[in-house]
Amino acid sequence: MTNIKAVAKRAGVSPSTAKRAINEPEKLSPALLHRVLQAIKELDYEPDLTARALRQGHTLNVGFLVPDLVEPFSAQLAQEVSVRLQHTPHILLLANSSHQPDLERHNLKRFSGQRISALIIRPSYGSGNLDYLLKMKDKGTYIIEVDHHLPDSPFDHVMLDHEQAIRLGLDHLTALGHTRIACLSTPSREGLLAGRTLMFEREMAARGIPVPPLYREINRHSTEDAYRFTRHLLGLPDPPTALFVLGGLELLGVHQGIQDAGLSVPGDISLLAFDEDAWTSRMKPGIDGIEQPVGMIGETLVRQVLKNTPAPVEPLQLKLPGRLIQRGSCAPPRGR
Amino acid sequence: MTNIKAVAKRAGVSPSTAKRAINEPEKLSPALLHRVLQAIKELDYEPDLTARALRQGHTLNVGFLVPDLVEPFSAQLAQEVSVRLQHTPHILLLANSSHQPDLERHNLKRFSGQRISALIIRPSYGSGNLDYLLKMKDKGTYIIEVDHHLPDSPFDHVMLDHEQAIRLGLDHLTALGHTRIACLSTPSREGLLAGRTLMFEREMAARGIPVPPLYREINRHSTEDAYRFTRHLLGLPDPPTALFVLGGLELLGVHQGIQDAGLSVPGDISLLAFDEDAWTSRMKPGIDGIEQPVGMIGETLVRQVLKNTPAPVEPLQLKLPGRLIQRGSCAPPRGR
DNA sequence: TTGTAGGCGTTATCAG
DNA sequence: CTGATAACGCCTACAA
């Protein structure tokens, strides 16, 4: 492995001088600087980040932990974060907890052992891992929650205003005259209503619209479960006249459920979703949805990570390709 | 930072003994083992992976580098790999090269500096970074290409049989009687036909079906470009009667283009795609597509990585929750 | 079965 | 402006 010592030797300087050529080049005499850079190029030396991490006590890596990566929101978010981190010295460590607190903790441990400098986490419900997150914070990891935040957690967080979004959706449905409204939603642990489901219930109560017990069911986060539950709902003596899909994975199953029941949207039943997939706009009819500002969320996450993380300026020298867009303003010269 | 020394001190043993309690517990006397484990728990000690990496010369991290993360195939693949890596000691480092060889190399350097033990890469076209990949291989990184492989590259690779898939698609279309067939596809650098596009051309030639020059256009990988190109195609004096969408991002734009042109599928025009998005099956009519075995690809990638990578057995002690599925076989006892 | 010593490549500190 | 030295925490010999 070619290390800084080899470079120093070749340039005829001490290791510390050679390192300075990289980290504080302005402090070197031009002649030496040139010689060292030359040696670096000849040996194509690349600093060992693991050694650096050991010495500094932390890496420049950012953990990204979500319950599920297929879920459109998480997938889009990963993309947003990944693209924006591209132009920083940080690297993204990806893991998913499959909606299981045990796996979440398992991954937190792995990240922690890796000495990540920041963690972006969509925490699972319940406060089971809050203690561990607090410990990580104490050790200097910057932690930011996304989409949901644990009760009493002291971390930064950024997320959709879920309450406002639910209200928006219910306004839409009630204005159309719906009262038999069912929601399909995120899983809940031990029978407790969770997240958006809870807000849905509260908001319905606030409007004085009852939610029949048969409309409520604890179902897990999956397309298949959503399908089954949809069929169940549509088969009831008093089926809902509108479905409000609160999670990103369920919509596909719901849509299929409606079709297989021989019903049509919106004639037989209204369908409202959290709009997290481009395809929903291609359906006929298009599916009404509530849009999440994923781009802004991603941008904020990365900005906060950068702000709260010690990172040397990375001399990224990138030549971006121009793109020729032909719209017709160019033609062969006259007379040819 | 609580390290193995602290643990050793607390347990009243030497550091190496303490370490052995973790790495080779069977070699310790039960009494000592207990004392050490106790100390580990009390201090909640966690090994520093950066130190380990420095000492060993490599981490247990796996780089994952694709041109684009939104593209359904890449997104699904990331998910597949991520889930399967969950049960190994490896961590996934994610990066995307945005279809730019410069960015690809940039990320390769970052990965290399991180001393990853394996790299899963969907390489960009051209052989610009082959030299660098070879260097990484020499340094001991296991490299496996996915979806595409560089000419003359010595690396393992796993991918769809693109030729067979294209043939399958064209068989389908020609059997229906189509001869005016256009493809929408991956970007090509410097006017060279690339990847599937090339195969499409070859396969059309083999069948003696001409591809009008106006059907050919170098367009980049994006939904918007696909939309524009679709409108262009449909506006031609002799428009295609079938569109073959070869990439995962374009379909959305093509679909919209067809609709905005006031045409219907399949009456006015046939549409065939690489089936990489669950939503295509929800459309009316459903969109014919060629399915990629993403799951198997992901499985293979992970298997190969594990096989070619030195990894200690990780004592993962996970309690997975059972799930109650109510199908009706349980009821209250008789007589109540 | 247990303990000791050296070094992985880097950065921080101190000396010249 | 430049060079020497120690330490980060771990692993691998080897010694007891």
Side-chain angles (χ1 to χ4, degrees):
Chain A
M1 201 54 56
T2 148
N3 55 14
I4 199 62
K5 252 184 186 163
V7 172
K9 198 168 170 186
R10 178 158 196 127
V13 297
S14 78
S16 11
T17 303
K19 248 313 169 194
R20 267 187 279 260
I22 298 174
N23 294 334
E24 339 169 75
E26 72 284 356
K27 291 196 175 175
L28 277 193
S29 66
L32 267 195
L33 179 59
H34 180 74
R35 252 173 43 217
V36 176
L37 291 181
Q38 186 66 25
I40 288 180
K41 197 182 256 172
E42 285 169 14
L43 301 175
D44 50 29
Y45 161 76
E46 286 173 14
D48 184 326
L49 268 3
T50 65
R52 181 199 151 99
L54 171 58
R55 178 60 230 239
Q56 307 231 105
H58 61 89
T59 62
L60 287 177
N61 297 342
V62 178
F64 185 86
L65 184 52
V66 291
D68 188 326
L69 264 171
V70 217
E71 210 265 335
F73 176 71
S74 304
Q76 283 173 46
L77 197 62
Q79 163 76 7
E80 294 285 344
V81 170
S82 154
V83 167
R84 291 190 162 85
L85 241 29
Q86 195 76 267
H87 306 285
T88 75
H90 295 277
I91 288 195
L92 200 62
L93 305 193
L94 191 75
N96 68 308
S97 55
S98 304
H99 290 283
Q100 297 174 26
D102 281 355
L103 265 182
E104 183 180 86
R105 174 171 290 245
H106 176 65
N107 280 300
L108 287 177
K109 281 187 181 164
R110 284 153 53 130
F111 282 165
S112 180
Q114 289 265 352
R115 303 289 182 260
I116 57 174
S117 56
L119 171 69
I120 297 170
I121 182 174
R122 157 63 237 235
S124 59
Y125 293 119
S127 302
N129 291 325
L130 180 56
D131 59 336
Y132 197 86
L133 288 169
L134 289 171
K135 248 185 253 161
M136 288 181 73
K137 184 188 160 89
D138 283 346
K139 287 189 200 157
T141 308
Y142 171 70
I143 294 177
I144 183 166
E145 296 172 305
V146 61
D147 191 54
H148 173 70
H149 81 103
L150 298 173
D152 306 320
S153 79
F155 314 120
D156 287 352
H157 58 251
V158 44
M159 64 190 67
L160 180 71
D161 183 342
H162 296 289
E163 308 233 4
Q164 175 268 347
I166 299 270
R167 232 177 288 128
L168 203 63
L170 285 181
D171 284 348
H172 182 47
L173 292 176
T174 53
L176 289 166
H178 291 281
T179 53
R180 302 218 305 271
I181 305 173
C183 82
L184 288 100
S185 178
T186 48
S188 42
R189 295 180 49 67
E190 283 111 40
L192 291 168
L193 292 173
R196 290 182 190 162
T197 315
L198 180 60
M199 297 174 193
F200 171 83
E201 294 278 344
R202 275 207 303 250
E203 196 57 38
M204 288 288 275
R207 286 156 202 255
I209 308 175
V211 179
L214 287 172
Y215 285 12
R216 293 205 196 90
E217 190 172 282
I218 305 311
N219 64 315
R220 304 215 134 254
H221 225 25
S222 93
T223 304
E224 291 71 28
D225 285 329
Y227 176 81
R228 275 192 292 275
F229 189 47
T230 302
R231 297 306 300 268
H232 158 75
L233 285 172
L234 299 180
L236 290 174
D238 282 314
T241 59
L243 296 182
F244 195 178
V245 183
L246 306 184
L249 273 179
E250 287 92 342
L251 185 55
L252 208 56
V254 173
H255 194 266
Q256 176 144 22
I258 292 173
Q259 179 179 309
D260 289 2
L263 301 179
S264 76
V265 175
D268 300 315
I269 187 154
S270 288
L271 180 57
L272 177 62
F274 271 71
D275 187 12
E276 289 159 343
D277 193 302
W279 277 96
T280 56
S281 67
R282 303 294 330 130
M283 307 304 295
K284 268 180 153 182
I287 297 171
D288 289 1
I290 293 162
E291 192 185 52
Q292 279 204 62
V294 190
M296 192 180 300
I297 294 176
E299 187 193 326
T300 308
L301 288 173
V302 171
R303 183 171 11 94
Q304 288 302 108
V305 165
L306 294 179
K307 198 185 287 179
N308 290 279
T309 255
V313 276
E314 191 182 48
L316 172 61
Q317 293 161 357
L318 208 54
K319 290 180 195 124
L320 296 171
R323 176 178 160 213
L324 174 66
I325 305 180
Q326 300 190 39
R327 293 204 174 90
S329 62
C330 293
R334 272 177 185 272
R336 291 220 60 201
Chain B
M1 201 53 57
T2 149
N3 55 15
I4 199 63
K5 249 184 188 163
V7 172
K9 199 166 168 187
R10 177 156 195 128
V13 297
S14 78
S16 28
T17 304
K19 248 312 166 195
R20 267 187 277 260
I22 299 175
N23 294 334
E24 337 169 75
E26 72 283 359
K27 292 197 174 175
L28 277 193
S29 66
L32 266 195
L33 179 59
H34 180 74
R35 252 170 47 214
V36 175
L37 292 181
Q38 187 68 24
I40 287 179
K41 197 182 254 175
E42 284 169 16
L43 301 175
D44 49 32
Y45 162 76
E46 286 173 14
D48 184 326
L49 268 3
T50 66
R52 181 198 150 99
L54 172 58
R55 176 62 228 252
Q56 308 238 102
H58 65 264
T59 62
L60 286 177
N61 297 342
V62 178
F64 185 86
L65 184 52
V66 292
D68 188 327
L69 265 171
V70 216
E71 211 266 333
F73 175 72
S74 305
Q76 283 173 46
L77 197 62
Q79 164 76 8
E80 295 285 345
V81 171
S82 155
V83 166
R84 291 189 162 84
L85 242 28
Q86 195 74 265
H87 307 285
T88 76
H90 296 277
I91 287 195
L92 199 63
L93 306 193
L94 191 76
N96 67 309
S97 55
S98 304
H99 289 283
Q100 297 173 26
D102 282 355
L103 264 182
E104 183 179 85
R105 176 171 287 246
H106 176 65
N107 280 299
L108 287 177
K109 281 187 182 164
R110 286 153 51 131
F111 282 164
S112 180
Q114 289 265 352
R115 302 289 181 264
I116 57 174
S117 57
L119 172 69
I120 296 169
I121 183 175
R122 156 63 237 234
S124 58
Y125 292 118
S127 302
N129 292 325
L130 180 55
D131 59 336
Y132 197 86
L133 287 170
L134 289 171
K135 247 184 255 163
M136 288 179 72
K137 185 189 159 90
D138 283 345
K139 288 190 201 156
T141 309
Y142 171 70
I143 294 177
I144 184 166
E145 295 172 306
V146 61
D147 191 54
H148 171 70
H149 82 103
L150 298 173
D152 306 319
S153 79
F155 314 118
D156 286 353
H157 59 250
V158 44
M159 65 191 68
L160 181 71
D161 183 343
H162 295 290
E163 308 233 5
Q164 175 268 349
I166 299 270
R167 230 176 290 130
L168 203 63
L170 285 181
D171 284 348
H172 183 46
L173 293 176
T174 54
L176 290 166
H178 291 282
T179 54
R180 301 217 306 271
I181 305 173
C183 82
L184 288 100
S185 178
T186 48
S188 41
R189 295 180 51 69
E190 283 110 42
L192 292 168
L193 292 172
R196 289 182 191 161
T197 315
L198 180 61
M199 297 174 193
F200 172 82
E201 295 278 343
R202 275 206 304 250
E203 197 56 37
M204 289 289 275
R207 286 154 202 255
I209 307 175
V211 179
L214 286 172
Y215 285 12
R216 292 206 197 91
E217 190 172 281
I218 306 310
N219 64 316
R220 304 213 133 256
H221 223 27
S222 92
T223 305
E224 290 72 26
D225 285 329
Y227 176 81
R228 276 193 292 275
F229 189 47
T230 302
R231 297 306 300 267
H232 157 76
L233 286 172
L234 299 180
L236 290 174
D238 282 315
T241 60
L243 296 182
F244 195 0
V245 183
L246 305 185
L249 272 180
E250 287 93 342
L251 185 55
L252 208 55
V254 173
H255 194 266
Q256 176 145 21
I258 292 173
Q259 179 178 311
D260 289 2
L263 301 179
S264 74
V265 175
D268 300 316
I269 187 153
S270 288
L271 180 57
L272 178 62
F274 272 70
D275 189 13
E276 289 159 344
D277 192 302
W279 276 96
T280 58
S281 67
R282 302 296 327 128
M283 306 304 296
K284 268 184 152 175
I287 298 171
D288 287 2
I290 293 163
E291 192 186 51
Q292 279 204 63
V294 191
M296 193 180 300
I297 294 177
E299 188 192 327
T300 309
L301 288 174
V302 171
R303 182 170 13 92
Q304 288 302 109
V305 165
L306 294 179
K307 198 185 288 179
N308 290 279
T309 256
V313 277
E314 192 183 47
L316 172 61
Q317 292 161 356
L318 207 54
K319 289 178 193 124
L320 296 171
R323 176 177 163 213
L324 174 65
I325 305 180
Q326 300 191 37
R327 292 201 174 95
S329 62
C330 293
R334 274 177 184 271
R336 289 219 59 200

